[in-house]
Amino acid sequence: MALEFDTSFDPAYGRAVTVAPDVLRITAGNPSPFTFHGTNSYVVGRDTLAVIDPGPEDDAHLDTLLTAIAGRPVSHIFVSHTHRDHSPLAARLKEHTGAPTLAEGPHRPARPLRIGEVNPLDASADLGFVPDVALADNALTEGDGWAIRTVLTPGHTANHAVFALEGTGTLFSADHVMAWSTSIVAPPDGAMADYMSSLDRLLARDDRLLLPGHGGPVTAPQRFMRGLKTHRKMRERAILERIRAGDRTVKEMVAAIYRDTDPRLHGAAGLSVLAHLEDLVARGLVATEGEPAIDGIFTPAG
């Protein structure tokens, strides 16, 4: 199934945009190759509010959030995961509103670091965030005229969660499903097997509108997520083909598979290839000496 990305998006910096009944989107001014036009924060409710993903530590974004809140009480601050473009502003928003923070838990890698391994993603992790309330899978948080259900979706990070606005068919999909691009799955923070399992969980739901952490909405979720799954399977096949053709290192595979990709993203692409290789080694389809590593040598199994 073909995967078509939608990059038509107006971030409307400095103001709130209505994207669903009683849902406002505010996009932070932190554009990059990894964040697209910036991080989306969402304000949910009419009288007493919830905020989803306060965003990066940014004075202008905080001001825009507070303007959108317009003096109304905020009862909950939800955080999808602990990357520095999503969670750091939660602390200051809590100071202004008194609302507790809710998330799956603090930042942690998807697997332990191996001997001699350095986590290249530490700089992007908000290691200081600890939620006031740890959310379990399927937890229902009820507010004033709204209820939000937590769906744990590890993969992009180990503590990634998405939030369903009960009774509306709307799901805040954070970085797990985005209309503009695939999600980065990069070990040791993320794991491909987890990501694919989480994608299947969302495919089993009947959400009609996904509001992601970056870019515009996904308006045909089932079709798009099936396309995402096919895309990942095609990437897996491409890696297997490169190994059968004689490529032995992640660098060689990235040069061939991502030759048309922005070179600034090749580092992330290498980690994505490693995520696939970890899964392929675990499934017995690829062989390597010891544990899969970014500088490892990979050969066909058997």
Side-chain angles (χ1 to χ4, degrees), residues 93-142:
L93 187 61
K94 177 182 174 179
E95 289 177 3
H96 280 274
T97 64
T101 57
L102 301 87
E104 188 272 354
H107 195 82
R108 65 182 187 280
R111 58 161 174 77
L113 289 179
R114 292 160 185 151
I115 295 173
E117 185 179 22
V118 176
N119 185 355
L121 305 170
D122 272 349
S124 67
D126 181 6
L127 301 176
F129 175 82
V130 178
D132 297 313
V133 178
L135 292 168
D137 190 38
N138 208 40
L140 185 66
T141 305
E142 298 191 64

Side-chain angles (χ1 to χ4, degrees), residues 11-261:
Y13 296 128
R15 61 185 177 88
V17 177
T18 300
V19 290
D22 296 331
V23 178
L24 302 175
R25 181 186 68 217
I26 299 100
T27 303
N30 62 326
S32 78
F34 299 100
T35 61
F36 196 35
H37 289 285
T39 303
N40 293 331
S41 301
Y42 295 95
V43 177
V44 178
R46 185 174 301 173
D47 298 319
T48 300
L49 311 174
V51 175
I52 296 174
D53 278 351
E57 185 60 71
D58 180 87
D59 290 343
H61 189 55
L62 177 61
D63 289 345
T64 306
L65 276 172
L66 293 175
T67 298
I69 290 166
R72 291 172 289 179
V74 176
S75 60
H76 300 79
I77 300 169
F78 292 86
V79 172
S80 67
H81 65 293
T82 44
H83 278 159
R84 288 187 178 275
D85 56 325
H86 286 262
S87 57
L89 202 59
R92 290 174 66 193
L93 187 61
K94 177 182 174 179
E95 289 177 3
H96 280 274
T97 64
T101 57
L102 301 87
E104 188 272 354
H107 195 82
R108 65 182 187 280
R111 58 161 174 77
L113 289 179
R114 292 160 185 151
I115 295 173
E117 185 179 22
V118 176
N119 185 355
L121 305 170
D122 272 349
S124 67
D126 181 6
L127 301 176
F129 175 82
V130 178
D132 297 313
V133 178
L135 292 168
D137 190 38
N138 208 40
L140 185 66
T141 305
E142 298 191 64
D144 180 10
W146 52 262
I148 289 175
R149 188 173 299 278
T150 298
V151 182
L152 298 186
T153 51
H156 176 65
T157 60
N159 65 353
H160 195 283
V162 300
F163 303 111
L165 190 57
E166 286 283 284
T168 68
T170 297
L171 181 117
F172 300 92
S173 58
D175 284 10
H176 194 75
V177 179
M178 302 176 289
W180 76 283
S181 176
T182 57
S183 177
I184 293 172
V185 181
D189 273 17
M192 189 59 66
D194 290 345
Y195 178 85
M196 296 300 284
S197 178
S198 296
L199 190 59
D200 283 339
R201 286 202 70 195
L202 296 189
L203 275 164
R205 294 175 53 84
D206 60 355
D207 302 299
R208 298 186 298 277
L209 176 70
L210 305 189
L211 297 175
H214 306 276
V218 177
T219 55
Q222 290 290 321
R223 182 177 65 198
F224 187 76
M225 288 191 290
R226 286 195 297 270
L228 277 179
K229 188 171 181 178
T230 299
H231 174 83
R232 296 287 183 179
K233 291 295 185 183
M234 289 174 62
R235 183 70 76 224
E236 179 182 284
R237 285 197 295 272
I239 291 168
L240 287 170
E241 288 170 2
R242 293 310 311 167
I243 292 173
R244 290 170 188 144
D247 287 357
R248 293 293 175 259
T249 67
V250 169
K251 185 175 182 180
E252 289 173 321
M253 296 176 215
V254 168
I257 297 170
Y258 293 89
R259 57 185 174 274
D260 297 325
T261 299

